[in-house]
Amino acid sequence: MSADEYRQYHPDFYLPDHDIYIEYYGTDEHGNTAPWIDKVRYQESIAWKRQTHEKYETGYVELFYYQHKAGDLLTTLEEQLLERAVEQNPIPEQDLLSNLRQLGQVTELAKLFSALVDMYKAACLDQVSVDSIIQHSVDPKQTEKALELLYPLFNQYELFLREKQWIDFNDMIGKALRYVQTGQFVSTWKYILVDEFQDISEPRARLVKRLRDSLPGTSLFCVGDDWQAIYRFSGADVKLTTNFSDYFGVTSQTTLDLTFRFNNAIGNVATEFVTRNPIQIKKDIQSRVKVDKPAVSILRQGNNEQGPTPLEKALNAIMACVEASGHPNQNKVYLLARFWHQMPDSTQLRAMQRQYSSLQIDSQSFHASKGKEADYVVVMGLTAGKHGFPSQKITPPLVDALLPKGDDFEFAEERRLFYVALTRAKHKVYLLADMTDVSDFVVELIKQRYLVDTDEFDASFVQKLFEHISCSSCKTGILKERVSRYGKFFSCSFYPRCKHRETPCDQCGSPMSSTIKPGYQVCINEECGDTRPVCKKCGSEMKLRKGPHGAFWGCTTYRKNADKTCGYAMKCTIN
């Protein structure tokens, strides 16, 4: 085999500081390869690499599959590197795992089962509880099979902890609970205080209750806000707060009803929004700071507008407003989103910080922002769908079965999450929204006439009149502008679930609305106002055509010689 065939030689690993090449060969102790690999060619490549390294006197380390199979691989590597005076500084396991995640080497399935092991252990389940979880899950058969896959991983994890003589956080809770239940630990605490109680899980609540009951006369004092219960995914059960006395017995309640965190205009919007869920505890929150104008402003901007990217344009407009209205001591700005990928990256953030040097700009996820505050908050990622807000990601049945039941109210936790985002701001909240693909929460703020400002920033008529460009087919989606090789068109925001599409106005290219004038599509551009009829037979668009007797409107679904077609036509009466 010629050297030319290996001119693109890439070793498995290379240590540039020591000029050492490391090769890992997939052979057994007899030189055999896996059945699907050409053994002769593979051995030729090994021989060529050995000769090349010997010729150029480069550092060279060989490792083999049979060493890995015998459990000697890392020991062998360590010995060979020590012989070559390589100082070893292993990357901490947590950092290594973090790097693998960033590189995308940890699969979604691995992440899911990692989370499931933690959830299963945190739930402190016995066999009766497991049987109940399977029985009451969304898909009992799938849940049972998923548990069969989970048990080996869980058992290996427990074995790993025992071998290392380690315990994790769930062990701390479980062991503490057992110690109190069996009398190994007798509490001497007469006063027990629990902060952030809305984040507590049932096993932890069980521990608190056992501690209280183990010493007669013990007082339990809990501080929590059910409006900020946003950690169901980690086992937190909001019902332990909303139904506190059902679990802990007769209690007295004191409402902390004066806030210094946000002004009354933010508070009024946030309170009205979160208490749409009747399960939330009613509280009359008063703000120390009073203002007489809206402090939640909606900036409506689409993805098809000219100039810088829509996000850059929107953020520049907001930062300019903040700089103009801010006080030297009121310059902290949070950029918040439901998911991290919806926020500016570190490069964009640094550029923005340089451009607006008087401001302190930081980005946070909604969850990470809890407990923090800024003078101004910008909320982005307010779109619909799986990675929108409220997020419509489907929870796997086993995950859902292992978590507390939660509220029956639709998107209850996502609603509380929005409350948390709004109330991070002391002075003002800015919501970035593309009304052609917008969050239901933003639509609610506008349609239900919350005290929000929709006029602070300019918006195109498409953004302002988004209600008039709803999909005439599914009645749910919004028409979004798209471009193909045949030109511009509008299609449903729920594509591909809804494949409805419409042509723009023939005069100005704007969307046409079917809600303004019955039986017609009307251009939403008031300066244009062009109209065209809708097919009275099938409800489809009509197209102006020319025939032997003059112009006429014909249904766009008409196909000559087709079995299923609409041939409805009408005289042209529009000039």
Side-chain angles (χ1 to χ4, degrees), residues 195-485:
D195 196 12
E196 300 290 348
F197 186 82
Q198 76 278 350
D199 298 333
I200 201 167
S201 65
E202 195 283 326
R204 298 174 199 179
R206 203 186 318 162
L207 173 60
V208 170
K209 186 177 181 181
R210 289 282 185 173
L211 286 170
R212 183 201 64 179
D213 295 345
S214 66
L215 181 64
T218 296
S219 294
L220 173 62
F221 186 88
C222 299
V223 181
D225 181 4
D226 64 300
W227 294 5
Q228 298 188 63
I230 59 173
Y231 290 113
R232 177 177 177 258
F233 66 86
S234 63
D237 189 348
V238 68
K239 287 186 173 62
L240 292 167
T241 302
T242 55
N243 300 327
F244 185 89
S245 58
D246 293 346
Y247 193 91
F248 288 97
V250 179
T251 185
S252 62
Q253 179 176 311
T254 301
T255 301
L256 302 178
D257 56 6
L258 179 64
T259 181
F260 296 81
R261 182 187 291 275
F262 45 82
N263 61 46
N264 63 308
I266 294 174
N268 291 340
V269 171
T271 297
E272 183 181 354
F273 184 83
V274 77
T275 54
R276 294 272 173 167
N277 179 357
I279 295 174
Q280 305 295 167
I281 298 173
K282 301 300 181 184
K283 298 185 282 278
D284 183 18
I285 304 298
Q286 298 296 318
S287 300
R288 183 174 179 274
V289 178
K290 307 288 186 182
V291 297
D292 57 5
K293 57 183 179 180
V296 177
S297 182
I298 301 177
L299 189 157
R300 296 166 292 177
Q301 184 170 283
N303 290 322
N304 298 305
E305 298 178 17
Q306 301 300 314
T309 66
L311 182 59
E312 289 175 345
K313 185 178 178 181
L315 290 176
N316 283 332
I318 290 170
M319 296 306 162
C321 288
V322 171
E323 274 197 329
S325 61
H327 186 274
N329 296 323
Q330 299 175 359
N331 60 0
K332 191 172 184 179
V333 182
Y334 272 166
L335 310 180
L336 304 182
R338 177 66 173 83
F339 301 100
W340 284 100
H341 71 265
Q342 295 167 332
M343 292 179 285
D345 59 30
S346 57
T347 302
Q348 293 170 319
L349 203 60
R350 284 193 297 270
M352 195 183 311
Q353 186 66 74
R354 286 193 298 269
Q355 185 175 355
Y356 301 98
S357 57
S358 65
L359 305 178
Q360 299 175 28
I361 306 172
D362 194 10
S363 59
Q364 302 275 345
S365 71
F366 290 166
H367 285 96
S369 72
K370 185 173 175 289
K372 302 175 183 178
E373 64 180 39
D375 298 296
Y376 301 89
V377 160
V378 182
V379 182
M380 53 193 72
L382 295 174
T383 60
K386 179 180 176 181
H387 289 100
F389 186 62
S391 172
Q392 296 182 23
K393 291 177 68 175
I394 298 174
T395 304
L398 180 56
V399 173
D400 189 70
L402 289 174
L403 293 176
K405 186 175 183 299
D407 301 4
D408 292 329
F409 196 77
E410 187 178 29
F411 298 124
E413 185 152 316
E414 296 286 285
R415 187 171 285 267
R416 293 192 289 268
L417 196 55
F418 196 32
Y419 172 86
V420 168
L422 292 173
T423 55
R424 296 313 91 195
K426 293 170 66 176
H427 304 297
K428 194 161 188 177
V429 181
Y430 296 93
L431 308 179
L432 305 189
D434 176 359
M435 302 306 294
T436 65
D437 182 23
V438 71
S439 162
D440 287 344
F441 288 168
V442 175
V443 174
E444 178 182 323
L445 293 179
I446 295 174
K447 284 190 173 182
Q448 299 298 327
R449 300 188 181 279
Y450 286 73
L451 293 178
V452 297
D453 189 348
T454 57
D455 297 323
E456 182 175 0
F457 302 94
D458 292 335
S460 68
F461 52 80
V462 172
Q463 294 290 312
K464 290 179 180 178
L465 302 176
F466 74 99
E467 293 177 83
H468 293 300
I469 55 172
S470 58
C471 176
S472 60
S473 177
C474 70
K475 311 297 183 184
T476 303
I478 301 293
L479 294 180
K480 291 183 65 70
E481 181 180 322
R482 307 183 195 276
V483 179
S484 72
R485 57 179 178 172

Side-chain angles (χ1 to χ4, degrees), residues 70-185:
D72 300 329
L73 183 70
L74 294 181
T75 303
T76 303
L77 175 61
E78 183 177 6
E79 291 173 352
Q80 294 203 42
L81 292 179
L82 286 174
E83 288 177 5
R84 293 162 175 78
V86 176
E87 293 185 13
Q88 299 183 46
N89 183 24
I91 299 173
E93 289 184 357
Q94 192 60 40
D95 291 348
L96 184 60
L97 181 60
S98 177
N99 291 340
L100 289 172
R101 283 175 177 155
Q102 291 179 16
L103 292 170
Q105 298 300 307
V106 180
T107 66
E108 291 300 317
L109 183 63
K111 293 176 186 176
L112 173 61
F113 273 101
S114 174
L116 283 170
V117 166
D118 186 65
M119 289 178 191
Y120 182 83
K121 190 168 184 178
C124 298
L125 301 170
D126 55 21
Q127 188 57 50
V128 174
S129 301
V130 170
D131 293 341
S132 177
I133 281 176
I134 293 172
Q135 181 182 350
H136 295 97
S137 66
V138 177
D139 188 334
K141 189 171 183 179
Q142 183 178 348
T143 300
E144 185 176 11
K145 293 300 181 183
L147 281 170
E148 289 178 10
L149 293 174
L150 179 64
Y151 287 143
L153 296 174
F154 175 77
N155 293 333
Q156 281 296 114
Y157 174 63
E158 290 293 278
L159 179 62
F160 170 79
L161 290 178
R162 287 197 297 272
E163 290 176 346
K164 293 287 187 179
Q165 295 187 328
W166 291 349
I167 62 173
D168 60 17
F169 184 78
N170 292 316
D171 285 323
M172 296 180 191
I173 301 298
K175 287 178 180 291
L177 183 57
R178 285 196 298 274
Y179 293 159
V180 176
Q181 288 174 331
T182 59
Q184 289 179 264
F185 176 81

